[in-house]
DNA sequence: AAGTAATAGAGAAATTTTTCTTTAATAAAA
DNA sequence: TTTTATTAAAGAAAAATTTCTCTATTACTT
């Protein structure tokens, strides 16, 4: 009768997953100068059902106009706020390898409200370097800096076998959420939020669909 | 009444998503020499319900032993096959920037059945270089090589605004599946499989949970 | 040898998510 | 001005997914 990752969640997770795409689409339309967009258009872009879009947007305070659609500017503003993208949150990244480096180079994270304040590693050849203006420190340095800088998120991009060690460290730092890019599952106290982002799930889905296609033909 | 991305899918997608983690866990246990593993153990590792594990594994031909669990070796073998990880598939990657480079460095893709045969870009400074032994070509080169090499997957790691152009190119190459790492949604013929992998969905979920926590306390 | 506890597995129930249906509004066309 | 078509929105229905319940099995303990 244990509750696994309790969901007292008003907004369905699939909805949250889709919203950043709506936002990105609306931002594109705004750049093009389009003032209104209908659920049909968004749905067509996303390859989903239009009522899904309507329902998703109904969780926010956006209201559409019959026969016109939603105001593009409103979608951008309301969705950014709703998703927490309009307030900047600070993060520390541990593991300045190729994946860590890719994240440090991704300006989209900044655009969507995440600022990586510093990176950490144990590899002497990367320590001291700056990756896209973010300095790489030895992991033992600055451990107390997290609280000072109000860093709420830790990003793990180390090899899978070190994930737990890094996670423990981050918890000790007082971090509130961990974004885990390793395939390893980490154990943390209940009040710490963990988001696992693993490529291989996506790969599995692609292969599954590919082989399904083969079965059908 | 249009059917969006029809699912004549025996195995639920959430199940497919979890399976690579079961596999990785079992591989770890095998390295440690553990011979059997119970659904309870796997569930504990994954932070999910044990019956979920049982149900997921029931889609494969793995059978467990009462009071003992599943044979670790069987999980590794059956799951690898089931997920299509034991046959090597070939891919081309377009966009040899930081994210593309990170993927080229990821040995996990190789381990899970994906071989990136070549990378493409338009940036003269990367063209001709080798990233982790994979050569980077100009995008106009070797367009017909895809069929010869039996490349079935295209990986898009270019800036979002170029995603559609690259996708069109890949379709022309005769590719069967596209792994799209840009936030842009691409339009392709119905028989092409598209898997969108965007970081920002994960970011949205973390922020949502963070703000929920705040609301609760 | 008998009892206990842990487990797989099947099926039912509950929950969550998506899709369908209906209604009302209104822009555009006739 | 009237008609038609498109749309948002709410609620119902359907579908998908997860969790619960029960049974049978069997390793381990007493």
């Amino acid at each position: 009768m244990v509750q696994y990752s309790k969901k007292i969640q008003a907004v369905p997770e699939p909805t949250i997953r889709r919203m950043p795409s709506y936002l990105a689409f609306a931002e594109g339309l705004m750049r093009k100068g389009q003032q209104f967009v209908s659920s049909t258009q968004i749905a067509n872009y996303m390859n989903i059902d239009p009522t899904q879009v309507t329902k998703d947007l109904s969780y926010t305070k956006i209201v559409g106009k019959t026969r016109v659609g939603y105001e593009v500017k409103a979608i951008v503003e309301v969705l950014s706020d709703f998703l927490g993208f309009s307030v900047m949150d600070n993060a520390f990244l541990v593991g300045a390898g190729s994946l860590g480096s890719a994240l440090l180079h991704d300006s989209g994270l900044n655009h969507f409200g995440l600022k990586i304040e510093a990176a950490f590693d144990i590899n002497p050849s990367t320590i001291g370097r700056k990756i896209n203006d973010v300095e790489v420190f030895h992991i033992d340095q600055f451990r107390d800096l997290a609280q000072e800088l109000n860093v709420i998120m830790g990003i793990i991009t180390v090899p899978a076998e070190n994930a737990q060690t890094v996670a423990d460290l981050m918890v000790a730092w007082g971090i509130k959420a961990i974004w885990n890019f390793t395939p390893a599952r980490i154990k943390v106290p209940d009040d710490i939020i963990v988001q696992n982002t693993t490529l291989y799930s996506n790969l599995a889905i692609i292969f599954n669909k590919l082989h399904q296609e083969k079965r059908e033909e």
Side-chain angles (χ1 to χ4, degrees), chain A:
Chain A
M1 239 277 230
V2 187
Q3 215 87 63
Y4 302 94
S5 66
K6 55 173 175 181
K7 284 183 193 168
I8 321 164
Q9 192 176 33
V11 186
E13 192 168 300
T15 296
I16 302 277
R17 286 191 174 282
R18 286 185 291 265
M19 282 178 167
S21 302
Y22 300 161
L23 174 58
F25 184 48
E27 285 177 330
L29 294 178
M30 197 156 70
R31 278 193 295 273
K32 280 195 238 164
Q34 189 173 321
Q35 205 180 347
F36 288 94
V37 63
S38 71
S39 61
T40 315
Q41 280 178 283
I42 300 175
N44 189 45
Y45 171 74
M46 297 279 294
N47 270 288
I48 57 174
D49 192 281
T51 55
Q52 181 77 83
V53 176
T54 308
K55 191 138 284 180
D56 285 346
L57 292 180
S58 77
Y59 290 104
T60 71
K61 58 178 198 282
I62 300 169
V63 283
K65 280 186 195 165
T66 301
R67 207 48 230 251
V68 174
Y70 302 91
E71 205 186 344
V72 171
K73 200 178 151 209
I75 292 186
V76 172
E77 283 172 7
V78 174
L79 233 41
S80 295
D81 281 3
F82 188 85
L83 294 171
F85 288 172
S86 47
V87 182
M88 196 59 91
D89 284 304
N90 294 332
F92 274 177
L93 179 147
V94 179
S98 53
L99 178 56
S101 179
L103 293 180
L104 290 168
H105 277 106
D106 184 359
S107 59
L109 293 179
N110 256 283
H111 181 235
F112 288 143
L114 192 74
K115 185 172 183 204
I116 304 179
E117 290 279 358
F120 298 88
D121 210 307
I122 48 161
N123 187 344
S125 69
T126 48
I127 291 165
R129 273 181 50 206
K130 277 198 173 186
I131 300 175
N132 196 28
D133 273 330
V134 179
E135 198 165 350
V136 183
F137 299 99
H138 189 277
I139 188 126
D140 290 339
Q141 277 182 285
F142 293 103
R143 42 195 147 84
D144 303 319
L145 220 70
Q147 266 124 0
E148 269 179 57
L149 288 171
N150 193 30
V151 171
I152 58 162
M153 191 190 298
I155 303 173
I156 306 184
T157 47
V158 295
E161 52 270 30
N162 305 322
Q164 186 62 58
T165 312
V166 171
D168 293 343
L169 208 61
M170 285 176 169
V171 170
W173 284 351
I175 258 159
K176 296 270 171 292
I178 293 179
W179 195 356
N180 174 27
F181 282 85
T182 78
R185 298 305 171 105
I186 54 179
K187 289 263 174 259
V188 294
D190 281 349
D191 59 325
I192 307 288
I193 293 157
V194 175
Q195 180 67 24
N196 298 302
T197 299
T198 318
L199 293 183
Y200 312 124
S201 293
N202 294 278
L203 194 56
I205 292 169
I206 298 178
F207 285 157
N208 182 252
K209 286 182 186 162
L210 271 171
H211 301 155
Q212 212 165 263
E213 294 261 307
K214 266 188 195 140
R215 260 172 256 138
E216 274 166 41
E217 66 191 17

